[in-house]
Amino acid sequence: MLSQQTIDTIKSTVPVLEVHGQSITSVFYNNLFKDHPELLNIFNHANQRQGRQSAALAGAVYAAAAHIDHLEDIIPAVKQIGQKHRALQIKPEHYPIVGQYLLGAIKEVLGDAATPEILEAWKEAYGVIADAFISVEAEMYREAEAAPGGWSGFRPFVVERRVKESEVITSFYLKPQDGEPIASYLPGQYITVRVQPEGQPYTQIRHYSLSAAPGGSSYRISVRREDAAPGKPAGVVSNYLHEHAQEGTVLEISAPAGTFTLDQTQDIPVVLISGGVGLTPMVSMLETLLKEQPARKVTYVHAAINGSHHAMKEHIADLESAHPQMSSYLCYETPLEGDSCHKTGYIDAAWLQQIVDPSADFYFCGPVPFMRTVYSALKELGIPAERIHYEFFGPAGQLD
């Protein structure tokens, strides 16, 4: 338990963190990796370069400070981050290192404003928060290993098959090299792939949503090739998978994880909305709904640049033909000649109002600008927050 004095001191730093939070976390990561380059084997380098990781950490630190007197309010966020930590194999011994460099960054950025009282309060608070993460993650490690077909650490899987789904998305079917069973998962969860491409000094780790319903003898991930763009380098892991992960290639995988999952305790209608490769968790949810809750009405809305970028189009059409409780709609930003879709441009509230049931549960995933557009449209339609579910690919961000 934190003393009232510590709580008051932490709360007094909330306005400062709102202004300087990302500066603090940027300094933190820079100093951390300079002194502990071995941690680059764990962290996503692309998110570091783009500033997404430091922004996410700044948000987490701010939330912890704002809720320091009611830390139970951030338990959902702790569990979400803890799932990613377990998938990345973050261990208790990493937390003291992080604490040391976080306090150092606070001192470096705030200077004399970071008084000994403030630093001591943050040291005490960090210890409590770190203990909460360690405790939550310890249970997650135990559950992942004890589950039927489960395992600890990274396990070698073989690429059994690869299927080109569109000009930019390829699916990889993965079977364990040891031939033993695999752990089941909840629709919407992801697995974590670790590779070390030639010429890369550190291992590269990425999360990929499982794009099929659970229950099979293999995992399927559907990966978008991230090409270079102005101000954005090509994706190291996605390009490695597309160019080098042929049938027979061995990849290291950690057990399924994630909190963005389909609520199957409900029987109300479901609306699934995806943009681009954000279809991966949506297809897993869709297949699961059709298989396990055939009486539940489901509407699937997908947005893509055009038909050449649209993955699994025939698969979704086949599912719709075979299941009368399902309807699907397409939105193409800039259709090609011969493309067929229900809407051109972007998804908006007016179109959604015509095609979805407002009493439904809504799940969506895709690029951040797409997610902001969908979130804004759902709020405009008056969909309550408890029926809006989403996940960011990569570090968490803000939609409003």
Side-chain angles (χ1 to χ4, degrees):
M1 295 293 291
L2 296 172
S3 68
Q4 189 59 48
Q5 181 179 354
T6 295
I7 290 172
D8 292 342
T9 302
I10 295 295
K11 296 282 276 189
S12 74
T13 66
V14 169
V16 177
L17 292 174
E18 190 170 17
V19 175
H20 299 288
Q22 194 157 353
S23 296
I24 291 170
T25 54
S26 295
V27 169
F28 159 75
Y29 280 119
N30 182 65
N31 293 342
L32 178 71
F33 294 142
K34 182 175 64 177
D35 293 346
H36 291 275
E38 72 279 4
L39 294 178
L40 288 167
N41 287 305
I42 299 175
F43 286 87
N44 184 314
H45 303 186
N47 289 334
Q48 293 295 329
R49 288 192 299 269
Q50 296 167 23
R52 292 187 66 191
Q53 191 67 59
S54 60
L57 178 60
V61 171
Y62 176 82
H67 296 278
I68 196 68
D69 48 348
H70 297 286
L71 285 176
E72 64 274 10
D73 292 345
I74 66 169
I75 288 299
V78 169
K79 290 182 176 179
Q80 182 182 40
I81 296 169
Q83 287 278 349
K84 292 188 176 183
H85 283 180
R86 198 273 296 158
L88 294 169
Q89 301 299 294
I90 301 294
K91 298 296 177 65
E93 56 265 30
H94 292 127
Y95 280 92
I97 300 172
V98 169
Q100 174 189 344
Y101 283 85
L102 182 59
L103 290 173
I106 292 173
K107 177 62 178 174
E108 184 173 335
V109 172
L110 300 185
D112 292 341
T115 64
E117 180 187 18
I118 286 175
L119 292 175
E120 186 58 34
W122 265 106
K123 181 179 179 180
E124 183 182 349
Y126 176 81
V128 170
I129 295 167
D131 285 346
F133 272 98
I134 291 169
S135 175
V136 166
E137 290 162 17
E139 182 60 27
M140 291 176 179
Y141 278 107
R142 286 192 292 269
E143 290 177 354
E145 186 172 5
W151 69 94
S152 63
F154 285 88
R155 180 180 177 186
F157 276 68
V158 178
V159 178
E160 178 186 39
R161 184 160 61 101
R162 51 180 287 163
V163 176
K164 185 176 180 179
E165 306 284 7
S166 76
E167 289 300 313
V168 294
I169 296 175
T170 294
S171 288
F172 299 86
Y173 293 75
L174 309 171
K175 297 203 75 169
Q177 190 178 45
D178 59 17
E180 296 296 320
I182 59 173
S184 188
Y185 56 92
L186 298 174
Q189 290 191 306
Y190 54 83
I191 56 175
T192 303
V193 179
R194 181 172 71 179
V195 300
Q196 187 161 8
E198 185 176 353
Q200 292 288 329
Y202 302 103
T203 55
Q204 304 276 336
I205 301 180
R206 298 292 187 274
H207 305 303
Y208 290 109
S209 295
L210 291 152
S211 60
S217 61
S218 65
Y219 294 135
R220 182 177 73 188
I221 57 173
S222 303
V223 180
R224 174 185 168 86
R225 186 186 66 246
E226 299 293 341
D227 297 322
K232 181 182 177 184
V236 173
V237 179
S238 68
N239 277 273
Y240 172 84
L241 293 174
H242 275 255
E243 295 168 11
H244 300 289
Q246 305 300 323
E247 293 179 6
T249 298
V250 177
L251 302 172
E252 293 185 305
I253 307 294
S254 68
T259 58
F260 177 60
T261 57
L262 177 67
D263 182 358
Q264 293 180 257
T265 65
Q266 302 288 334
D267 58 6
I268 62 174
V270 178
V271 176
L272 308 173
I273 308 175
S274 59
V277 77
L279 62 79
T280 51
M282 299 295 103
V283 171
S284 178
M285 292 181 182
L286 176 64
E287 291 181 356
T288 302
L289 284 164
L290 298 178
K291 178 182 176 182
E292 299 182 5
Q293 294 184 285
R296 197 172 180 187
K297 181 182 176 183
V298 56
T299 303
Y300 181 48
V301 184
H302 182 63
I305 295 174
N306 53 50
S308 71
H309 283 67
H310 184 183
M312 301 186 184
K313 181 177 181 179
E314 292 77 14
H315 177 54
I316 299 302
D318 290 345
L319 290 175
E320 184 176 18
S321 296
H323 297 88
Q325 75 274 30
M326 173 190 166
S327 57
S328 70
Y329 299 89
L330 290 176
C331 177
Y332 286 162
E333 181 181 339
T334 51
L336 300 172
E337 185 176 352
D339 276 348
S340 175
C341 62
H342 300 90
K343 187 182 189 306
T344 60
Y346 301 99
I347 291 174
D348 56 36
W351 184 54
L352 286 179
Q353 190 171 34
Q354 298 174 28
I355 62 174
V356 303
D357 185 338
S359 69
D361 250 350
F362 289 80
Y363 296 79
F364 62 95
C365 188
V368 173
F370 163 85
M371 293 177 65
R372 290 196 177 112
T373 297
V374 172
Y375 183 77
S376 176
L378 295 180
K379 299 300 284 186
E380 185 177 336
L381 294 177
I383 309 302
E386 63 268 19
R387 288 197 278 113
I388 297 177
H389 317 278
Y390 56 87
E391 180 168 67
F392 292 92
F393 283 158
Q398 295 292 327
L399 294 184
D400 53 7

